[in-house]
Amino acid sequence: MRAIVAAVGLLACFSALAESYVWTGAEDAYWTNGNNWASGVAPGVIDLPDGSTNLNFGCEAVFSGASAQTTINLDGLHSIFKVTVSGAATPQYTFGASNAQVLHFEDQGVFTVASDVVNMPLLTCGLGINRDQPGAGGKVFVENNAPGELVVNNFGYVIRPVKPAWGEIGFVLQGTGPKRLAGVFTQPNSFQVKYYFNGTGKITIDADVTKSSTSHGLDVNGAKTIEITENGKFRFGDSYCYLVAYDDVTLMGAGTFLFASQYRSVNNNYAWYESEIRGNKGKTVTFAPGLTVSNLTDDNGAGKTSAWKGGMQLKQSNGMNVVFEADNTMPGHIRVMAPFTVSVPKVENLGLDGIVEVGGKGRIVFTSEEADTISGGIV
């Protein structure tokens, strides 16, 4: 039976400078065993066997240096604020005794891999946020500054709240090193998950980000390249759902990027809502050859039909560019109602049943030498 040592000085980590706890693994693999930490105290909010809770908020758990226990069992861990892996000599740590376990963070919590790490940690567990308040949102950050790729294997919800609630949850990938999403990413009932791809490291989507519902949005700020592999799907579409490009970004790979229309209620008003591209002046969103850019509709079981049939809307811009580099990459339906410049090789790329609306100083430029003139394709 594993021992659990309760924290001395309850709420110790609420100080202005959060306290750090260093893992030694001196006794076994359980996070919640205080004997496995240099201080004799296990960090984080811990559910104790007697039903009580050790409320040790705001702590940092540090994994740096050698340990006999490198597979961390998360059983009983309610949440932690910060996890840091650092050190060139640090072994490869595996977080989660199985993929059924979840490393839950407090709001604004962060998992960080330092720039000197050689043996990249494995996240076999899911990542989540634990909020006890109905209606509470929050963010979880994953930051990789090491040259090796950090793989986030999430086999369940991106976010797993303590109780059913509503709100928007942010899932942030940042740092200078490469990151990869693998497995299946879903969302809890009544939550919207918004993705933030920050930093300069390449981001690879090797996951199906279409289950349960949709991504609520994607903000790209500094991530220059996003690759969607042949196993990857990113469904983009919901009410008020935007791809926001603060910098130039290229989407590439053999996977699928879906723009959607959704029939749903917003403030008790049912209507069709379409996804959009937005961004900063002069920035360019490029869809590279090989990537399938498609459209779909979702009436939420209401039996409704939409003449729009899903697609891409470009409605708010102060001068952005959208570039499609090859055949079969343009959604069948597109609205350009703002000063965007959309580049596409030729008219066939608009789709066999394409509906194109152009206005508001928007324009479509055909880049192929074999480009046809448009006849009846614009409404």
Side-chain angles (χ1 to χ4, degrees):
M1 178 182 296
R2 74 181 192 274
I4 297 181
V5 179
V8 177
L10 209 59
L11 307 181
C13 291
F14 270 124
S15 60
L17 295 176
E19 189 170 350
S20 295
Y21 294 74
V22 179
W23 172 265
T24 64
E27 188 165 285
D28 57 30
Y30 285 90
W31 178 302
T32 54
N33 183 355
N35 293 333
N36 289 322
W37 300 88
S39 62
V41 177
V45 179
I46 294 171
D47 297 323
L48 300 175
D50 63 2
S52 62
T53 303
N54 168 20
L55 301 175
N56 208 9
F57 289 102
C59 300
E60 178 185 22
V62 177
F63 295 83
S64 179
S67 171
Q69 303 290 340
T70 57
T71 297
I72 314 302
N73 193 313
L74 305 173
D75 184 39
L77 176 64
H78 183 280
S79 58
I80 183 71
F81 180 66
K82 187 174 184 180
V83 176
T84 300
V85 180
S86 63
T90 298
Q92 184 178 59
Y93 280 98
T94 299
F95 291 87
S98 72
N99 59 33
Q101 292 193 331
V102 180
L103 179 56
H104 283 117
F105 287 89
E106 300 160 26
D107 181 24
Q108 305 298 314
V110 58
F111 184 96
T112 301
V113 180
S115 60
D116 59 352
V117 170
V118 175
N119 300 303
M120 297 300 293
L122 297 177
L123 291 166
T124 60
C125 62
L127 293 183
I129 188 169
N130 235 335
R131 301 300 302 271
D132 295 316
Q133 300 289 330
K139 284 184 178 179
V140 171
F141 296 78
V142 176
E143 180 172 339
N144 179 30
N145 293 310
E149 184 178 63
L150 178 63
V151 180
V152 181
N153 288 297
N154 195 302
F155 293 85
Y157 290 143
V158 173
I159 308 299
R160 301 186 184 189
V162 172
K163 59 185 74 174
W166 55 266
E168 181 178 282
I169 296 294
F171 188 76
V172 185
L173 294 179
Q174 61 188 25
T176 58
K179 282 81 62 179
R180 178 181 294 263
L181 301 183
V184 175
F185 280 64
T186 60
Q187 68 184 57
N189 293 334
S190 302
F191 270 92
Q192 301 289 351
V193 179
K194 184 172 183 179
Y195 291 82
Y196 297 82
F197 290 173
N198 299 338
T200 56
K202 178 183 176 181
I203 293 176
T204 301
I205 300 175
D206 194 26
D208 188 344
V209 193
T210 62
K211 299 295 183 181
S212 179
S213 185
T214 75
S215 64
H216 187 49
L218 171 59
D219 279 18
V220 181
N221 191 354
K224 302 298 184 183
T225 303
I226 300 172
E227 180 179 2
I228 305 177
T229 71
E230 60 182 354
N231 298 318
K233 291 182 180 180
F234 196 98
R235 173 178 169 177
F236 179 77
D238 205 333
S239 59
Y240 308 117
C241 182
Y242 312 121
L243 166 60
V244 182
Y246 295 99
D247 290 289
D248 295 337
V249 59
T250 297
L251 291 96
M252 58 182 292
T256 302
F257 197 92
L258 294 171
F259 286 89
S261 289
Q262 189 172 51
Y263 186 80
R264 59 173 292 143
S265 173
V266 176
N267 297 325
N268 295 318
N269 294 317
Y270 278 87
W272 286 97
Y273 295 90
E274 289 84 27
S275 49
E276 296 182 31
I277 292 181
R278 295 182 176 183
N280 285 348
K281 183 177 182 179
K283 301 304 179 183
T284 299
V285 177
T286 300
F287 295 92
L291 182 68
T292 298
V293 182
S294 187
N295 53 53
L296 57 83
T297 57
D298 179 7
D299 67 355
N300 280 318
K304 300 291 184 178
T305 59
S306 170
W308 176 237
K309 298 182 180 179
M312 178 192 301
Q313 291 204 100
L314 310 173
K315 294 171 59 179
Q316 296 188 23
S317 167
N318 55 1
M320 275 192 69
N321 305 303
V322 178
V323 177
F324 292 86
E325 290 189 333
D327 293 352
N328 305 317
T329 58
M330 173 72 97
H333 303 77
I334 183 168
R335 282 187 177 129
V336 186
M337 306 304 292
F340 283 84
T341 297
V342 179
S343 301
V344 60
K346 49 188 177 180
V347 69
E348 283 87 348
N349 296 117
L350 299 178
L352 296 177
D353 61 346
I355 298 175
V356 181
E357 297 181 37
V358 180
K361 297 184 179 180
R363 64 177 184 159
I364 295 180
V365 176
F366 295 96
T367 58
S368 172
E369 294 181 358
E370 301 175 355
D372 300 318
T373 58
I374 298 178
S375 57
I378 295 181
V379 297

